[in-house]
Amino acid sequence: MNLSRVALAAGTAAASVVLLSGTAFAHVGVQPQGQAAQGGYATVNVKVPNERDNASTVKLEVNFPLDHPLASVMPQPVPGWKAEVTKTKLDKPLTLHGKQINEAVSKVTWTADGSKIGPGQFQQFPLSLGQLPEDADQLVLKAIQTYDNNEVVRWIEEQKGSEEPQYPAPVLKLSPAGEDHHGGAASTAPSASASASADAKAGHGSESGHATTETASASSTDTMARVLGVVGILVGLAGIAFGVLAGRRRSA
């Protein structure tokens, strides 16, 4: 009996560890919508899950690196949330579209304004980013999540090795500049000149076929006329012969 109780307690503890491990993987992350290429612009979603069963998320702060500054960060309106963009003066100005930029976005803060992220729920906060750096393959966007019970979770730990930290910072991966994901489609599409050539060949083939049909028809008509002509001659000769024989019989 005692052994059964020990086994039950061990099983319950193991299940709790599994549940807690599953919860630990639900962290704040960032995901591009389409391509996020070096030197280009991108739309991304910051995904914020609620990891607590007794509190709701009411605030999120996302920080942007100033060693790879972004001149433009625009949040898309999210119903029930108020967004605030904070800019910081740069030590070294950026050059964007021929203009010098002296400040860059350092963070975006979303505060609940009639809405919350409740237990068992998540919320996505869309952002438009640009111009992405050309000399980096990723951007680390450290985030701070606040609950309505005043608990603060800092998603700011950068991964150093193969093991993921307990509170990893969101990371936006950047693809190589100039990567063309539509090249395959473009290469398989026929060119205008090829299409025109094909149409011309098709049209020429149709004309040739039409001409061949007309020639065959004319040849057939000519043959029929010759046959009818020969038949007419034979009928005429037969008539003459019949007339001659009839004349002889009368004379006799």
Side-chain angles (χ1 to χ4, degrees):
M1 189 68 176
N2 291 334
L3 291 176
S4 298
R5 290 180 179 177
V6 171
L8 179 60
T12 303
S16 300
V17 171
V18 171
L19 289 174
L20 290 174
S21 298
T23 303
F25 285 104
H27 51 71
V28 175
V30 59
Q31 182 66 38
Q33 302 304 298
Q35 186 181 19
Q38 296 170 333
Y41 290 77
T43 299
V44 304
N45 279 334
V46 180
K47 183 178 179 181
V48 184
N50 192 330
E51 294 190 312
R52 304 293 180 260
D53 56 7
N54 59 350
S56 298
T57 298
V58 293
K59 185 178 179 181
L60 175 72
E61 178 183 306
V62 175
N63 294 274
F64 295 86
L66 292 179
D67 56 341
H68 294 292
L70 300 176
S72 175
V73 176
M74 295 187 296
Q76 179 177 322
V78 177
W81 293 83
K82 181 176 64 176
E84 181 183 358
V85 178
T86 302
K87 294 185 177 182
T88 300
K89 188 175 180 62
L90 297 174
D91 295 332
K92 183 180 178 180
L94 288 174
T95 301
L96 184 64
H97 302 304
K99 297 181 180 179
Q100 281 202 337
I101 308 297
N102 295 315
E103 58 182 10
V105 174
S106 56
K107 69 178 178 179
V108 176
T109 305
W110 288 271
T111 306
D113 186 21
S115 182
K116 296 181 179 181
I117 307 174
Q121 299 178 343
F122 76 93
Q123 177 67 54
Q124 295 193 110
F125 297 94
L127 288 170
S128 175
L129 308 179
Q131 185 175 353
L132 299 174
E134 299 178 350
D135 56 348
D137 56 6
Q138 67 178 28
L139 289 178
V140 178
L141 310 179
K142 297 181 179 181
I144 300 175
Q145 182 178 12
T146 302
Y147 290 88
D148 58 5
N149 61 356
N150 295 324
E151 179 185 3
V152 177
V153 181
R154 301 178 182 276
W155 303 97
I156 61 174
E157 299 176 6
E158 298 187 42
Q159 187 167 342
K160 302 299 182 181
S162 58
E163 186 176 352
E164 185 179 62
Q166 185 176 3
Y167 298 103
V171 176
L172 175 63
K173 300 289 186 180
L174 304 182
S175 58
E179 186 175 316
D180 186 6
H181 294 288
H182 304 287
S187 63
T188 55
S191 63
S193 58
S195 299
S197 177
D199 292 342
K201 289 181 179 179
H204 182 70
S206 299
E207 292 176 0
S208 298
H210 184 63
T212 302
T213 303
E214 289 182 348
T215 303
S217 178
S219 177
S220 176
T221 302
D222 183 63
T223 301
M224 181 62 68
R226 290 180 181 180
V227 171
L228 291 176
V230 171
V231 171
I233 293 173
L234 293 175
V235 171
L237 292 175
I240 294 172
F242 180 77
V244 171
L245 290 175
R248 288 179 179 180
R249 288 177 180 178
R250 289 176 182 175
S251 300

